[in-house]
Amino acid sequence: WGGGAGGEQGGAGAPRAASGAAAAQLRRRLESELEDIRGAGTWKSERVIASRQGPHLRLAGGGAGIINFCANNYLGLSSHPEVIRAAVEALEKFGAGLSSVRFICGTQSIHKDLEEKIARFHQREDAILYASCFDANAGIFEALLTPEDAVLSDELNHASIIDGIRLCKANKYRYKHMDMQDLEAKLKEAQKHRLRLVATDGAFSMDGDIAPLREICQLAQKYDALVFIDECHATGFLGPNGRGTDELLGVMDKVTIINSTLGKALGGAAGGYTTGPKPLIDLLRQRSRPYLFSNSLPPAVVGCASKALDLLMESNAIAQSMAAKTQRFRSKMTAAGFTISGKDHPICPVMLGDARLASVMAEDMLNRGIYVIGFSYPVVPKGKARIRVQISAVHSDEDIDRCVEAFTEVGRKHGALP
């Protein structure tokens, strides 16, 4: 939005910007909105990591020995040597990328192998890969549901579920968070529609609570509805074998459709998927827009996720390693006087209420060598700001205790504790 250098419009390497009254007006409006965000204390800064993802990090600018408590790296597989080696081997054998969508010339044998492995892991008929679970959620509802159908969504579902539902033409119902009486009322109201789909997160990422899937499935059976769950914050570590909330709660045969991610517990790179009945997966290959119009997953990402699934299916030891560590953090923080949302999930939101307090405390925690992030509106509702702590299987007991000690010091300093 400025002039050029050296008498020309933008010298060599200089940033170029649009000129004119409309561009200037846009710039003023954007700067005003950004200032409002800063003033509200909800500005989200990005810290730059200069090392691998893991329980201990080095930040750009010299911060070393930082203990990381805010990644979705639940099982520590993002820097697991076997996972990295599998990615390198896939990169060398299959190349950097496909430069294509799947149905043109973007499907390799490793894509088909991974889809088969995902279906086997979840004990479903088939699976389809996406660039992310956000894409999987954007693709499922529009392809499956018509104006004759209905979708019933938990009010605190992930943004990608909400956006996916917005794209479809089905009749939309929103029920109160994990409120089975309200869900039943909405199911009764939706009986006039051809197909009814109940959509919920299996584990809710902001609050660390787990959907009452047994009750949801009972209501779905009573009112002849289908159940869809997003398992991004469950796949790999919830349930006896890490298959997710449906395994944890004993309803694997009652849930029809599962969407999940490869970008959290399963290697931490990228990618998502839908798994369920084969005719549904076949339909998605024909009609799902994010699948049809997005490049194939890069081979290195496929290699990572495939090895992660191998490790999980060889032994449930990794999946079972989370419970004790999660309980250690939750019990110690509660004893210190903090309110921790959710129950028995490695997502441990430290509820603070005030957005500015969450931001300031998170910065002070970093000064004590603990990497956490404050969450505030619009990521969470106004008045419900928190610092979301996430426990990983590769955190040591010493790491967890250091985090609790730092929280206690900072909480007292800023008045969050007496």
Side-chain angles (χ1 to χ4, degrees):
W1 277 311
E8 298 180 1
Q9 181 64 33
R16 292 177 179 269
S19 59
Q25 181 184 28
L26 173 63
R27 186 183 185 94
R28 288 192 297 271
R29 182 175 69 80
L30 295 177
E31 288 177 341
S32 175
E33 287 188 29
L34 293 172
E35 192 55 41
D36 288 344
I37 294 172
R38 290 187 184 94
T42 58
W43 183 268
K44 295 161 189 64
S45 299
E46 295 181 1
R47 297 168 180 165
V48 180
I49 299 170
S51 64
R52 291 178 178 180
Q53 181 66 276
H56 300 93
L57 300 174
R58 180 170 56 85
L59 298 183
I66 306 297
I67 307 177
N68 181 14
F69 276 96
C70 57
N72 296 312
N73 186 23
Y74 292 110
L75 301 177
L77 296 182
S78 62
S79 52
H80 191 287
E82 290 187 50
V83 172
I84 293 172
R85 186 161 55 249
V88 172
E89 290 172 358
L91 179 65
E92 291 177 340
K93 183 175 181 180
F94 291 97
L98 278 299
S99 306
S100 176
V101 299
R102 287 283 297 272
F103 82 94
I104 299 177
C105 61
T107 300
Q108 292 176 319
S109 57
I110 52 173
H111 294 100
K112 300 303 293 182
D113 291 344
L114 178 55
E115 287 169 336
E116 186 277 331
K117 198 173 290 186
I118 288 168
R120 183 155 39 92
F121 177 72
H122 285 284
Q123 299 179 358
R124 295 307 196 273
E125 293 177 14
D126 202 356
I128 180 173
L129 289 171
Y130 287 89
S132 67
C133 190
F134 207 113
D135 277 352
N137 286 339
I140 181 79
F141 301 103
E142 184 182 26
L144 177 62
L145 303 175
T146 74
E148 297 180 64
D149 305 316
V151 57
L152 302 95
S153 175
D154 188 293
E155 65 180 349
L156 292 188
N157 275 341
H158 190 272
S160 58
I161 299 175
I162 295 168
D163 286 358
I165 289 172
R166 284 172 176 163
L167 292 171
C168 79
K169 295 180 180 179
N171 299 274
K172 302 168 181 69
Y173 297 80
R174 185 173 67 174
Y175 64 92
K176 296 174 184 176
H177 181 48
M178 302 200 307
D179 186 327
M180 295 300 95
Q181 286 186 326
D182 194 39
L183 174 58
E184 183 166 19
K186 298 294 194 301
L187 280 166
K188 287 179 180 177
E189 188 179 346
Q191 286 301 291
K192 56 194 174 188
H193 305 298
R194 182 186 65 171
L195 182 153
R196 292 156 296 285
L197 179 69
V198 180
T200 180
D201 277 308
F204 290 85
S205 61
M206 288 300 120
D207 294 285
D209 46 12
I210 296 170
L213 279 184
R214 290 195 192 101
E215 292 81 358
I216 288 173
C217 290
Q218 288 169 0
L219 287 173
Q221 189 169 14
K222 180 178 179 180
Y223 292 98
D224 195 24
L226 303 172
V227 177
F228 161 97
I229 54 174
D230 178 309
E231 289 285 80
C232 287
H233 291 275
T235 299
F237 58 93
L238 287 188
N241 301 288
R243 290 190 171 94
T245 55
D246 60 338
E247 183 187 49
L248 177 72
L249 298 173
V251 290
M252 291 185 72
D253 60 335
K254 303 289 194 302
V255 172
T256 305
I257 307 166
I258 294 172
N259 277 10
S260 194
T261 183
L262 307 173
K264 292 182 172 61
L266 301 184
Y273 57 85
T274 297
T275 185
K278 189 177 188 310
L280 169 65
I281 304 304
D282 289 342
L283 181 69
L284 292 175
R285 293 192 196 280
Q286 302 303 313
R287 290 188 179 170
S288 176
R289 292 166 68 84
Y291 179 81
L292 292 170
F293 296 102
S294 297
N295 263 21
S296 310
L297 269 183
V301 172
V302 177
C304 280
S306 185
K307 176 53 69 174
L309 283 169
D310 287 343
L311 293 171
L312 284 172
M313 288 193 281
E314 286 167 9
S315 169
N316 69 350
I318 300 177
Q320 292 301 307
S321 65
M322 295 294 305
K325 296 176 189 292
T326 298
Q327 178 59 28
R328 185 182 188 92
F329 179 81
R330 283 180 169 272
S331 61
K332 283 179 173 282
M333 286 289 285
T334 301
F338 287 101
T339 299
I340 310 299
S341 181
K343 182 182 178 183
D344 299 331
H345 194 284
I347 291 175
C348 304
V350 182
M351 304 304 293
L352 298 169
D354 182 73
R356 195 178 302 277
L357 176 63
S359 178
V360 169
M361 280 185 61
E363 286 299 319
D364 225 351
M365 290 288 287
L366 185 61
N367 294 333
R368 288 164 170 77
I370 306 296
Y371 189 145
V372 290
I373 295 291
F375 282 60
S376 55
Y377 182 82
V379 180
V380 296
K382 289 182 178 179
K384 294 193 175 182
R386 82 275 316 259
I387 293 176
R388 188 181 73 174
V389 175
Q390 292 180 257
I391 306 300
S392 172
V394 288
H395 281 132
S396 67
D397 288 349
E398 182 183 3
D399 292 337
I400 291 170
D401 292 349
R402 278 189 58 190
C403 184
V404 173
E405 289 168 8
F407 259 113
T408 303
E409 292 173 12
V410 171
R412 287 175 180 155
K413 175 182 175 182
H414 293 283
L417 288 179

